[in-house]
Amino acid sequence: MALSYHSAIVSPADTTPPSIPANLAGGAASSSTADVTWYASTDNVGVAGYSILRNGVKIATTAQTQFQDSGLAGATIYSYMVRAFDLAGNVSPPSASFDITTQDTGPPSPPSNLAAAAISCQQIDLTWSASTDINVRSYSLFRGTSPTALSQIGITSSTNTSFSNYALNPATKYYYGVQAVNNSGNVSAMTPLASAATMALPSAPVKVTAKASSATQIVVNWTAGRSGMPILFYQIYRGSTPTGLKLWATRTAAPYTDVSLTPDSTYYYAVQETDSGGNISPMSATVSATTLAPP
């Protein structure tokens, strides 16, 4: 039995183009090839095929709803559009463009301008300039207390060019390096190292003195201890024995005048300081004074 088939009858007056191809998708198959797919167009006569445009220039036709482009350059962005044409020769408008970046065969350029700045006793912030590779997916952060012994401490996305390193030891110098990683897993050389030292914790106030100014008042004075961060306030402790001190007052500066005391009585004092990061110093040396006897 002979096979038979019917050809579409096309009217020369038919000028209706196919629908625009939709939902372009795809990706790089390698450093030199890219795959593009789309949804089929519809047409009153019948879709005959599709024209593939790369960067606005027609490069191929196909009867399928997929296409593999080859002979491309690595690490390069290509923009694709598709037009449908029917049996009458009518051509649809181009689809929305879809960009594909081919894979990179080499390592990305290293980030540059790495800088480290101490923010507190426990934090150092890093900033750097982005790698120039268009396929960078992340940055790897490295740290060590020696420039020859760095360990990875974090990963950021390709859009981030800063990193805050927390929970560090006070008054300690740290060295940092950054590497870029591209979508193909290639790793850049490390940046020149940057270093910074965390700020020191506050030390105990010094030159603490206590002196009676009357039968009911004692003036406590001190000099701030060294601190890597600004001092916010001082805690004054008082007790009737050297071992029974309790927090008695808080001041932002010296001196402190203790009032309403009992005449001819001895009081003991010590001072601590708190910096802007909430770090509290050790207690100062304990001093004492005796209020004057009543007249």
Side-chain angles (χ1 to χ4, degrees), residues 28-230:
S30 69
S31 61
S32 61
T33 58
D35 291 332
V36 187
T37 64
W38 58 91
Y39 286 1
S41 297
T42 59
D43 186 73
N44 64 324
V45 173
V47 175
Y50 301 90
S51 298
I52 315 302
L53 290 80
R54 182 212 302 145
N55 297 339
V57 177
K58 180 180 175 181
I59 58 170
T61 59
T62 179
Q64 307 298 317
T65 56
Q66 60 186 21
F67 177 75
Q68 184 173 84
D69 195 12
S70 60
L72 306 176
T76 304
I77 299 175
Y78 292 95
S79 182
Y80 291 91
M81 293 187 294
V82 178
R83 281 179 164 170
F85 56 89
D86 65 15
L87 297 172
N90 300 306
V91 180
S92 76
S95 67
S97 63
F98 180 76
D99 290 347
I100 295 177
T101 302
T102 51
Q103 295 179 9
D104 200 340
T105 57
S109 65
S112 57
N113 301 317
L114 177 63
I119 303 301
S120 70
C121 304
Q122 295 89 20
Q123 178 179 340
I124 291 175
D125 284 354
L126 304 176
T127 59
W128 61 90
S129 297
S131 169
T132 57
D133 194 308
I134 61 174
N135 285 326
V136 169
R137 75 182 182 204
S138 63
Y139 294 98
S140 298
L141 287 301
F142 296 82
R143 182 194 72 203
T145 53
S146 164
T148 58
L150 304 184
S151 299
Q152 186 171 346
I153 58 168
I155 298 174
T156 71
S157 72
S158 62
T159 58
N160 289 336
T161 55
S162 63
F163 181 80
S164 293
N165 192 199
Y166 301 99
L168 302 175
N169 294 321
T172 303
K173 187 173 185 179
Y174 292 92
Y175 297 85
Y176 294 90
V178 180
Q179 290 179 318
V181 182
N182 66 19
N183 290 329
S184 300
N186 302 311
V187 180
S188 77
M190 188 172 288
T191 59
L193 301 187
S195 64
T198 50
M199 299 175 183
L201 291 170
S203 57
V206 296
K207 299 180 180 179
V208 181
T209 61
K211 183 177 181 181
S213 58
S214 71
T216 59
Q217 295 186 356
I218 291 175
V219 178
V220 182
N221 213 336
W222 64 88
T223 298
R226 291 178 296 176
S227 177
M229 301 181 71

Side-chain angles (χ1 to χ4, degrees), residues 120-122 201-202 229-230 232-233 235 273-281:
S120 70
C121 304
Q122 295 89 20
L201 291 170
M229 301 181 71
L232 286 186
F233 52 85
Q235 300 92 265
E273 58 191 41
T274 299
D275 67 19
S276 58
N279 302 298
I280 302 174
S281 76

